[in-house]
Amino acid sequence: MDFTKRFWCGSLRPEDAGREVLLAGWVDALRDHGEVLFAHLRDRSGIVQIVFSPERSSADLCRAAELLRSEYCLVVRGRVEKRRAGTENANLETGAVEVFAAVMEILNASDTLPFTVSEKAMAAGERESEAVAEELRLKHRYLDLRRPSMQDNLIKRHRIFKCVRDYLDEKGFIEVETPTLTKSTPEGARDYLVPSRIHQGHFYALPQSPQLFKQLLMVSGFERYFQMARCFRDEDLRPNRQPEFTQLDLEASFIDEEFIYGLVEELTVRMFAVGGIDLTRPFPRMTHQEAMETMGSDRPDTRFGLRFIEATDLFRDTRYGIFRQILDRGGRIKGINIKGHSESLSKNVLQNEYAKEIVPAMGAKGMTWMRVVDGKLESNIVQFFSREEQAAILERFAAGNGDVLIMIADASPDLVHSVLGQLRLHLAERLEMIPPGIFAPLWVTDFPLFEATEEGVTSSHHPFTSPHRADFDPENREELLGLKSRAYDLVVNGEELGGGSIRIHDRNLQSRIFRSLGLSNEAVEEKFGFFLRALDFGTPPHGGLALGMDRVVSMVLGVSSIREVIAFPKNRSAQCPLTQAPSDVSREQLGELGLLDLGGDKALPGTVKKEDLLEYLSWVSRIGVNETERPALEKALAEASLLAAAIDKMETDAEPVFSVAPVKGRIRAGGEPVVSPYSESRALFANAPAMKGRYFKVAGILE
Amino acid sequence: MSGIFAYRDGGSVVSGEGLLKGSSISVQANMSVAGWPTEAGSLALKGFKAIEDATVVKSLRDQGASIVGSTRMSELGLGLCGDEAARAVAEGFSAIALVTEHLGEARLSAAKAGLIGYKPSYGLVSRHGLLGLIPSMETIGILARSAADIATVMAAASGRDERDFSMPVEEVPDFLNGSGQPGIRTLGWIRESAACLETDDRKAFQRCLEGFAKAGLTPVEKSMKEFDLFRTVHQIIGSVEASSSAGKYDGVRFGYRTPSAKNWNEMYLKTRGEIFGPVIKPFLFQGAYYQFMEYDVFEKACRLRSHLMREVQRLLGEVDALVMPAVRRGFDPFEAASVPALYDAFLFTLPANLTGLPAVCFPFDDGGQARCPGVQIIGSRLSDAGLLALAGERMQTTTKES
């Protein structure tokens, strides 16, 4: 068969009736009507129905068609005909036609499938597709990717990438590739390392971002650079993160923030348009401080209100003891007005759920709530407030009947913001205040340049970010903490899609930043020597930004996980179920790379010898051991090993038993799954040492 | 008194109608009673309050019993260090006490206090709501002054529970109509077990055998050369199961959590490092050793367990029941504070746990020469009612003659 004459399955329409066509693809689904057999044939373009009937096809062909099974690969020649009225399939774009097979050849059979690939029902009322466990999908990703929805995701991803490249090309940007084998930087604690066989005991690192290289390209005078860069980060597990991810990295010279905003806004509008989403320009902007003060987040979700209202001054002379004490310690009181929700937020919900459980789990010591009924405040503590205070609250919060006011008071303003920020999201979700189908982009600007550490300060972004002003004293911690940076983040619907900054191009300023960070000249030389040297050769002013493309694509396509827009992703445990990466390697391989006894002379903190049996067992069974317990435990292990030796010699032909009274085929009466009533109530949480909202709280995976 | 109970019920001492009307029963602090602190003697369950009643508690209450409190216990119920259940009965706070049996805890605490201690056939009493440690061996044991009381408790508590998936489907012994008719004529005693006794103890055991003979039973000497294996196999399997089932104690959903963990792994390491005490911790490490380093040894132990069960079954085909010493001078189970000390102290009781057979231990004193603080009768699976009847008969004789 001559495949060049092939038609796309998905392209056939009633106008094609009467044509002889050659089709190739996979059997999506089959339906046997006795003598007549219907098959859905699927290729990348779509699905069309093939008919094998004794009236129109030879007896041999009908017999051959009986052998067909799902996902067989076929080529078919046949005649397109309009379906009889009433037999059209509205689920298919080709649903008004069918192809009567004249010739068919099975190009390849398929094994029994681990899950159904088909997503399109052959008749109305049938199940369209089934939910399959993600681990199984990833293990057979090549089959999962046969599904039209997954193909559509990757095709749209391609469209978005192409639109980025076209647009940036239009704007004079050059795509340049930077190396994947680079140098590990001392602070790059999450680097993936690649051993060098030639230089044994030395390692390359995979880039977490091409930051330094792209700045070097600006030094080289490319002026406008971009790259669809693959970046790597060996982070602890978090949902919706991948060890490798794709980032649009761009940098330009002789520009300022306005250039970046204009460029990236237009780019974002075009990318979202691929998914049929209209974004309006210009994107609103908000300083970091305003975002924190009004929404308690540096990536606020602006699709709904619930902005914070300042109330500290209303209680300057209050007699309410709790507020009094907080204000005496210089604290803050802020609140939100949940308009018209007093029905859904009953006294019981506010007091027993929010004040007692949810808000303490968010980190606050307490919460004050009031409901507005008949123009008056109603609450368990309202009697502590004077008439003037009550009137001032109503006025400040613009409160009317049916409103619910929630206030958080604490000595630490940061805590007030953080808790109200979490509460804002919690309430919006619970009360369904987020309008569906809305996209709210936002620039967050003017980030603090430094964050406080125990000893001094550290960069909030990275040490190459330009400060707003250069006339600061590197020794003055208070002044440093007040500095703002020329960094910006692009946030959509409360998710950070990317960020960047205008960089430092002046060697002297860069040195003073390093001094502020408390880095010695030697440390700076070791970490960034090559880069600082480059700044000495006429570096132009420059800046740029990086966008997380996996995240952008998943948001444009409206899928819940970035794994849905990556062809071969790792699972939630950073493993690839398909290839089983990461895998063990042979001793020979390690030997050739000089890795057999590496690090012997470098006693790194935290990398305790795992060959110690007690340490090993302590680790695998997650039971810590202190020095005083060690002797007793060593003795216990010696005893265990003696017992093992004692029975090792014994001979027996008996089958192992794991129970003295084995139970077979035990099924719960009725066979119905039973949900414990306690899983619905909050009783299971009553014993938990720490909670957050409706979850058990544990220590962070990252330090 | 405060030393006896971990929690004492203030309110509900009223009892209802039923087989156990008017009976006061204490449970151990690892048996769930809704709303009661249920800490199982362990930091791992610090502050834990049971959400619902254990099935056994519900069954007893349904038959009119009043559950008076939960007695203090050893850490997670392994051994008897700090266990106060026997004192609750001996000092009259409850007529009956429930004690978790891993190694023979119910029988040996009874022996110490002059009571009857009983371990049922494995799978006869629901363990739903029991915070256990060694799932393939543990049962709920019972202490009381009279065998009839124990039989009544068993009549109420035994039988299939939909919520305990380890219970096989089988006929439950009739505990109410077996009294007085033990049906036991021949008692086998294992030479190798008696050989573990010092001279004085051995003589006392021999006199007990003579006492049984005087009462019309026939002691028969038997040999089981693998007797030493019971403790080794119990320790290997028991430690592995404990290591596995203690995995749930992580300080996330309940119990104590270390205040100073920087991250997730450290939270588990430190929390679990701090919650396990000096007896349990080495036991868990031994289990981890077999699990992670020598899994074949664990499997071998399971084969030997099967072999031992077959051997005991063979003996029980030749005699009606086995008689075994329970206590040894110089090995006080209440003082056993290390793993080897535990296995020394429970040497004679643990075979019943390993094989899942019923056993009853009672003081032997026929008013004459035969006197022993605790002698054990072990029977075939589900011969529980007969064992209790025999114990009852012996105790009655004792009371009559003393």
Side-chain angles (χ1 to χ4, degrees):
Chain A
M1 304 241 189
D2 180 2
F3 289 122
T4 57
K5 304 258 169 61
R6 193 182 147 210
F7 278 73
W8 289 109
C9 293
S11 70
L12 301 179
R13 293 292 180 274
E15 306 85 87
D16 296 309
R19 286 176 91 155
E20 280 285 325
V21 293
L22 179 71
L23 302 168
W26 293 265
V27 175
D28 191 72
L30 290 162
R31 175 179 287 255
D32 193 347
H33 275 222
E35 305 222 294
V36 186
L37 179 82
F38 297 97
H40 269 182
L41 189 68
R42 185 191 71 239
D43 63 18
R44 206 182 83 186
S45 68
I47 291 173
V48 71
Q49 175 155 290
I50 312 287
V51 187
F52 299 91
S53 93
E55 289 164 24
R56 308 285 297 270
S57 319
S58 71
D60 282 351
L61 179 56
C62 288
R63 259 195 306 282
E66 277 173 25
L67 299 175
L68 294 179
R69 297 290 178 269
S70 287
E71 297 306 311
Y72 274 36
C73 184
L74 310 182
V75 57
V76 176
R77 189 190 299 283
R79 190 183 164 86
V80 184
E81 294 198 7
K82 272 194 199 168
R83 296 201 197 188
R84 267 188 297 117
T87 65
E88 295 94 343
N89 182 348
N91 293 323
L92 296 183
E93 291 188 354
T94 63
V97 297
E98 54 197 355
V99 176
F100 283 85
V103 185
M104 182 270 288
E105 186 188 333
I106 295 177
L107 299 173
N108 223 330
S110 164
D111 259 350
T112 310
L113 299 168
F115 52 81
T116 309
V117 169
S118 175
E119 292 183 324
K120 292 284 179 203
M122 294 194 76
E126 283 183 6
R127 188 171 54 164
E128 286 239 329
S129 61
E130 56 179 358
V132 182
E134 192 178 30
E135 200 67 8
L136 190 63
R137 290 175 54 202
L138 292 179
K139 187 166 178 207
H140 304 275
R141 187 63 155 181
Y142 43 88
L143 288 178
D144 189 42
L145 293 179
R146 276 191 191 171
R147 303 212 236 190
S149 59
M150 289 305 292
Q151 297 217 333
D152 188 54
N153 286 357
L154 292 187
I155 292 166
K156 290 264 174 56
R157 180 184 173 110
H158 161 75
R159 297 267 164 253
I160 291 171
F161 275 45
K162 180 161 186 319
C163 126
V164 169
R165 289 197 160 102
D166 290 348
Y167 173 69
L168 290 174
D169 178 64
E170 211 174 279
K171 291 287 170 189
F173 281 76
I174 307 290
E175 182 163 13
V176 181
E177 289 153 281
T178 55
T180 302
L181 296 177
T182 66
K183 185 188 174 189
S184 178
T185 53
E187 92 277 24
R190 306 290 173 192
D191 283 349
Y192 277 101
L193 296 180
V194 182
S196 163
R197 182 178 57 84
I198 314 271
H199 302 282
Q200 297 219 332
H202 290 72
F203 293 83
Y204 301 103
L206 302 183
Q208 298 197 26
S209 116
Q211 183 63 32
L212 294 179
F213 288 109
K214 72 171 167 178
Q215 289 192 243
L216 291 177
L217 287 171
M218 294 302 104
V219 177
S220 305
F222 279 92
E223 302 207 12
R224 291 182 180 195
Y225 139 94
F226 84 98
Q227 182 183 191
M228 290 300 194
R230 185 59 61 83
C231 301
F232 305 85
R233 207 165 294 168
D234 193 2
E235 276 181 313
D236 290 313
L237 306 173
R238 282 204 232 172
N240 227 13
R241 291 280 172 101
Q242 287 281 310
E244 54 180 309
F245 51 95
T246 307
Q247 137 177 336
L248 162 61
D249 195 49
L250 65 85
E251 196 78 9
S253 301
F254 309 111
I255 52 107
D256 58 8
E257 287 90 334
E258 290 305 325
F259 172 85
I260 298 284
Y261 295 156
L263 179 86
V264 175
E265 284 183 15
E266 182 55 32
L267 177 69
T268 309
V269 167
R270 292 190 186 198
M271 290 192 297
F272 275 69
V274 174
I277 299 163
D278 285 328
L279 297 182
T280 324
R281 284 189 60 192
F283 295 173
R285 298 177 197 174
M286 186 178 284
T287 64
H288 175 264
Q289 185 177 352
E290 186 187 348
M292 294 308 294
E293 296 245 339
T294 63
M295 283 173 282
S297 168
D298 57 4
R299 46 181 176 84
D301 191 337
T302 51
R303 285 176 295 173
F304 59 94
L306 292 184
R307 301 293 200 275
F308 305 167
I309 297 159
E310 180 64 70
T312 314
D313 56 306
L314 302 182
F315 300 101
R316 191 141 291 147
D317 304 310
T318 192
R319 286 173 298 124
Y320 179 45
I322 293 175
F323 280 9
R324 183 74 269 146
Q325 286 166 24
I326 286 167
L327 292 178
D328 288 347
R329 282 148 63 208
R332 286 283 277 281
I333 302 168
K334 287 175 103 166
I336 47 181
N337 180 356
I338 308 132
K339 282 213 132 334
H341 273 284
S342 63
E343 292 275 315
S344 26
L345 296 173
S346 65
K347 271 183 202 172
N348 182 33
V349 167
L350 287 165
Q351 186 58 30
N352 292 329
E353 284 193 42
Y354 279 89
K356 280 201 182 140
E357 292 197 32
I358 297 172
V359 164
M362 290 171 172
K365 290 175 201 74
M367 173 188 113
T368 303
W369 57 267
M370 299 167 200
R371 290 146 46 89
V372 186
V373 179
D374 296 335
K376 282 191 294 205
L377 292 171
E378 183 195 279
S379 152
N380 53 349
I381 52 148
V382 85
Q383 72 264 28
F384 300 116
F385 297 119
S386 66
R387 196 171 304 161
E388 292 73 28
E389 281 168 343
Q390 295 188 29
I393 294 169
L394 285 169
E395 192 199 334
R396 177 67 58 84
F397 282 80
N401 281 341
D403 291 359
V404 177
L405 312 182
I406 288 183
M407 285 183 239
I408 301 288
D410 199 275
S412 151
D414 287 348
L415 189 126
V416 170
H417 292 146
S418 144
V419 171
L420 277 175
Q422 297 173 62
L423 202 50
R424 180 175 177 268
L425 296 178
H426 192 284
L427 286 164
E429 196 181 323
R430 174 176 183 142
L431 302 173
E432 296 175 351
M433 296 168 86
I434 304 174
I438 296 280
F439 289 84
L442 175 75
W443 287 107
V444 179
T445 66
D446 300 83
F447 284 80
L449 185 67
F450 294 113
E451 282 167 14
T453 62
E454 274 172 28
E455 304 91 51
V457 299
T458 181
S459 293
S460 319
H461 193 189
H462 55 59
F464 315 110
T465 304
S466 184
H468 265 216
R469 58 185 176 87
D471 58 338
F472 57 89
D473 171 8
E475 313 292 334
N476 184 341
R477 187 166 179 267
E478 286 313 302
E479 186 186 2
L480 292 177
L481 288 174
L483 287 178
K484 300 280 184 251
S485 76
R486 294 176 69 183
Y488 32 78
D489 274 359
L490 177 60
V491 174
V492 179
N493 293 358
E495 247 197 273
E496 182 193 330
L497 293 185
S501 64
I502 303 300
R503 328 290 182 191
I504 299 168
H505 63 283
D506 176 75
R507 172 67 194 257
N508 179 33
L509 176 56
Q510 187 68 64
S511 298
R512 292 173 54 227
I513 293 284
F514 283 134
R515 197 144 24 106
S516 310
L517 292 170
L519 290 174
S520 68
N521 287 341
E522 297 74 44
V524 169
E525 184 55 37
E526 192 204 325
K527 287 184 176 187
F528 309 111
F530 69 98
F531 177 72
L532 293 179
R533 188 82 185 104
L535 287 187
D536 290 333
F537 296 95
T539 300
H542 62 283
L545 161 139
L547 285 182
M549 290 306 292
D550 304 311
R551 197 143 299 213
V552 169
V553 175
S554 61
M555 186 177 278
V556 170
L557 298 187
V559 296
S560 57
S561 154
I562 63 172
R563 293 185 297 278
E564 298 295 312
V565 299
I566 297 173
F568 297 99
K570 310 284 184 288
N571 65 13
R572 286 155 187 267
S573 322
Q575 292 165 319
C576 173
L578 176 63
T579 63
Q580 302 293 322
S583 63
D584 203 2
V585 296
S586 70
R587 220 178 145 71
E588 289 73 27
Q589 234 173 325
L590 292 176
E592 196 176 9
L593 293 167
L595 294 176
L596 281 179
D597 39 28
L598 205 68
D601 54 340
K602 290 184 193 167
L604 294 172
T607 56
V608 240
K609 283 181 296 171
K610 282 289 189 296
E611 55 267 40
D612 180 302
L613 178 63
L614 184 58
E615 290 286 340
Y616 174 75
L617 293 176
S618 161
W619 173 248
V620 291
S621 55
R622 296 293 192 284
I623 303 179
V625 170
N626 66 38
E627 283 311 308
T628 48
E629 296 168 326
R630 202 168 241 285
L633 294 175
E634 299 274 10
K635 222 169 119 186
L637 291 180
E639 189 202 4
S641 147
L642 283 177
L643 294 185
I647 69 161
D648 194 40
K649 297 188 290 284
M650 323 258 351
E651 292 287 328
T652 173
D653 59 345
E655 284 296 306
V657 292
F658 300 97
S659 167
V660 297
V663 174
K664 278 198 196 114
R666 178 102 190 241
I667 294 170
R668 197 196 303 274
E672 290 297 310
V674 176
V675 177
S676 162
Y678 302 107
S679 69
E680 299 293 319
S681 74
R682 302 179 66 83
L684 293 176
F685 289 130
N687 284 310
M691 296 276 309
K692 186 161 186 169
R694 304 187 58 235
Y695 299 91
F696 296 109
K697 189 178 178 189
V698 296
I701 288 175
L702 287 170
E703 279 181 25
Chain B
M1 179 198 89
S2 64
I4 293 179
F5 287 98
Y7 179 78
R8 201 160 186 223
D9 193 22
S12 65
V13 215
V14 208
S15 67
E17 293 300 321
L19 286 173
L20 292 166
K21 180 175 184 195
S23 294
S24 56
I25 299 182
S26 62
V27 296
Q28 255 180 330
N30 63 345
M31 300 172 188
S32 303
V33 182
W36 289 17
T38 309
E39 298 190 344
S42 169
L43 199 52
L45 285 152
K46 184 177 175 227
F48 181 80
K49 283 194 180 151
I51 295 170
E52 53 180 331
D53 287 345
T55 303
V56 66
V57 167
K58 188 174 177 306
S59 307
L60 298 179
R61 279 184 171 161
D62 284 351
Q63 287 298 331
S66 95
I67 309 294
V68 297
S70 64
T71 55
R72 288 181 193 280
M73 61 188 292
S74 63
E75 186 179 3
L76 298 174
L78 184 71
L80 286 169
C81 264
D83 192 278
E84 302 286 2
R87 269 182 67 205
V89 178
E91 296 178 22
F93 295 105
S94 68
I96 295 151
L98 304 190
V99 173
T100 315
E101 274 256 355
H102 295 117
L103 291 153
E105 288 85 349
R107 284 163 284 160
L108 289 195
S109 58
K112 174 97 166 187
L115 302 168
I116 303 189
Y118 158 72
K119 172 207 169 294
S121 295
Y122 179 87
L124 206 47
V125 179
S126 167
R127 296 179 300 174
H128 177 74
L130 171 73
L131 308 180
L133 189 67
I134 308 179
S136 85
M137 305 190 200
E138 75 212 0
T139 59
I140 287 175
I142 305 169
L143 299 182
R145 286 185 194 281
S146 86
D149 280 354
I150 295 179
T152 315
V153 168
M154 282 304 286
S158 60
R160 184 135 172 233
D161 175 16
E162 282 296 328
R163 300 181 75 178
D164 180 349
F165 284 84
S166 67
M167 298 178 83
V169 184
E170 57 197 354
E171 196 76 16
V172 174
D174 182 353
F175 284 99
L176 293 181
N177 298 314
S179 57
Q181 292 300 319
I184 295 172
R185 294 275 160 259
T186 51
L187 282 179
W189 63 276
I190 298 170
R191 190 188 314 132
E192 289 80 2
S193 69
C196 299
L197 295 169
E198 296 289 334
T199 320
D200 285 355
D201 282 348
R202 198 165 60 238
K203 282 185 183 154
F205 180 63
Q206 291 296 347
R207 281 196 294 274
C208 285
L209 291 178
E210 288 156 21
F212 277 119
K214 245 185 266 173
L217 292 155
T218 316
V220 185
E221 182 173 341
K222 290 284 169 192
S223 169
M224 187 176 173
K225 55 185 188 314
E226 302 93 337
F227 184 77
D228 281 349
L229 258 188
F230 280 112
R231 67 179 284 174
T232 308
V233 173
H234 188 294
Q235 188 173 345
I236 292 172
I237 296 176
S239 66
V240 169
E241 290 190 14
S243 156
S244 173
S245 70
K248 60 182 168 281
Y249 301 122
D250 56 8
V252 171
R253 293 151 301 158
F254 47 77
Y256 166 87
R257 181 187 302 178
T258 186
S260 65
K262 285 206 292 291
N263 60 45
W264 194 56
N265 272 321
E266 199 179 284
M267 175 190 79
Y268 285 130
L269 263 176
K270 284 192 164 180
T271 298
R272 289 170 55 76
E274 291 167 36
I275 58 180
F276 298 121
V279 182
I280 289 284
K281 204 167 181 176
F283 197 53
L284 297 181
F285 268 84
Q286 293 183 334
Y289 172 75
Y290 300 120
Q291 268 180 297
F292 294 107
M293 311 298 295
E294 300 276 4
Y295 189 79
D296 290 350
V297 168
F298 169 66
E299 204 190 277
K300 181 70 160 287
C302 293
R303 286 178 191 283
L304 292 170
R305 183 182 195 183
S306 169
H307 175 81
L308 289 168
M309 284 165 63
R310 212 164 54 186
E311 284 303 294
V312 174
Q313 208 44 55
R314 181 179 60 79
L315 295 183
L316 285 171
E318 296 165 8
V319 292
D320 296 331
L322 296 174
V323 58
M324 189 116 67
V327 293
R328 287 199 287 174
R329 210 158 297 171
F331 295 99
D332 183 348
F334 285 86
E335 300 290 325
S338 71
V339 179
L342 276 180
Y343 278 87
D344 281 338
F346 289 88
L347 179 70
F348 298 120
T349 48
L350 60 85
N353 299 79
L354 187 71
T355 53
L357 297 175
V360 61
C361 176
F362 48 88
F364 197 98
D365 185 348
D366 65 0
Q369 289 284 300
R371 191 173 296 178
C372 177
V375 64
Q376 257 192 113
I377 308 288
I378 301 171
S380 307
R381 180 166 181 75
L382 304 182
S383 68
D384 302 56
L387 297 186
L388 289 172
L390 175 71
E393 215 172 65
R394 287 308 317 147
M395 293 295 276
Q396 268 172 12
T397 337
T398 307
T399 332
K400 237 181 275 167
E401 289 168 11
S402 57

